[in-house]
Amino acid sequence: SGTKANIASLVTAPSFVATPANLTLAIWQSLVAKLPVYAQANAKFYMHKQIFFNYVADKLITLGGNNYSALAMGAGLQPTLFGYPVQFVQDMPSALTTASINTPIAVLADLSKAVAFGDRRELSIATSTERYFDQDSIAVRAIERVGFSGATDPGNVNAAVASQVPGSAIVLVTNATTA
């Protein structure tokens, strides 16, 4: 839609079809292309494990002259994509289905710049010898309040493509149209 096209930090897959073939490496590469330079050093891909192995790994394996471990795993067990580590997030969509339309299926982000996490109230600890007096025990209570703010660096929303400035979190969503 026109509104989605105006969001600088959003990549929309060109068509929605529940097959791995539609999610090409070029689409994944477009996330990397949009990521600002200041967010590159600590950026990671965030996606469900099944999205990676069912929609990305198959394309890495089929690249001529390369093998999967050299492209995706490097020297360790941490998968990478275009040089960025892949962090598995089990709460994200695990497949391209009608339920995942317009839902983020992957994010390329430096979360230290993209979100904020902080104390709303410092840790407080209290004890009571009266609460469990009959059991000869002491009750201990610890309370801490924290806050989370998403999209502290969201980029902008602008109809003019030349004026769009992506933030430090680039989001991949699927489109509702079919090919």
Side-chain angles (χ1 to χ4, degrees):
S1 72
T3 304
K4 286 195 314 186
N6 299 339
I7 302 172
S9 293
L10 188 68
V11 172
T12 303
S15 61
F16 172 80
V17 175
T19 63
N22 253 26
L23 209 50
T24 65
L25 286 177
I27 294 169
W28 295 101
Q29 183 180 357
S30 65
L31 274 77
V32 176
K34 277 194 166 197
L35 188 69
V37 173
Y38 67 86
Q40 290 177 348
N42 296 314
K44 292 182 182 180
F45 276 98
Y46 297 89
M47 67 185 81
H48 195 281
K49 184 178 179 181
Q50 290 181 17
I51 291 288
F52 181 78
F53 283 104
N54 293 333
Y55 297 86
V56 179
D58 60 330
K59 291 157 189 66
L60 297 175
I61 291 169
T62 59
L63 291 174
N66 297 301
N67 64 44
Y68 170 73
S69 64
L71 290 167
M73 299 303 241
L77 296 176
Q78 175 73 52
T80 62
L81 181 58
F82 293 108
Y84 293 98
V86 177
Q87 182 71 46
F88 297 132
V89 181
Q90 295 303 108
D91 290 337
M92 292 184 79
S94 61
L96 298 181
T97 65
T98 53
S100 64
I101 294 174
N102 295 324
T103 301
I105 60 167
V107 178
L108 174 61
D110 176 353
L111 293 184
S112 70
K113 293 177 175 50
V115 297
F117 182 81
D119 286 330
R120 294 177 60 94
R121 179 175 154 191
E122 290 184 14
L123 179 65
S124 64
I125 299 174
T127 60
S128 172
T129 56
E130 298 170 6
R131 172 73 168 95
Y132 296 109
F133 177 78
D134 59 336
Q135 297 174 11
D136 208 18
S137 298
I138 298 173
V140 178
R141 180 185 68 198
I143 299 174
E144 182 179 21
R145 304 271 188 233
V146 294
F148 172 80
S149 174
T152 59
D153 179 25
N156 68 357
V157 176
N158 198 310
V161 175
S163 300
Q164 291 179 356
V165 179
S168 56
I170 310 300
V171 178
L172 175 62
V173 298
T174 55
N175 203 347
T177 61
T178 58

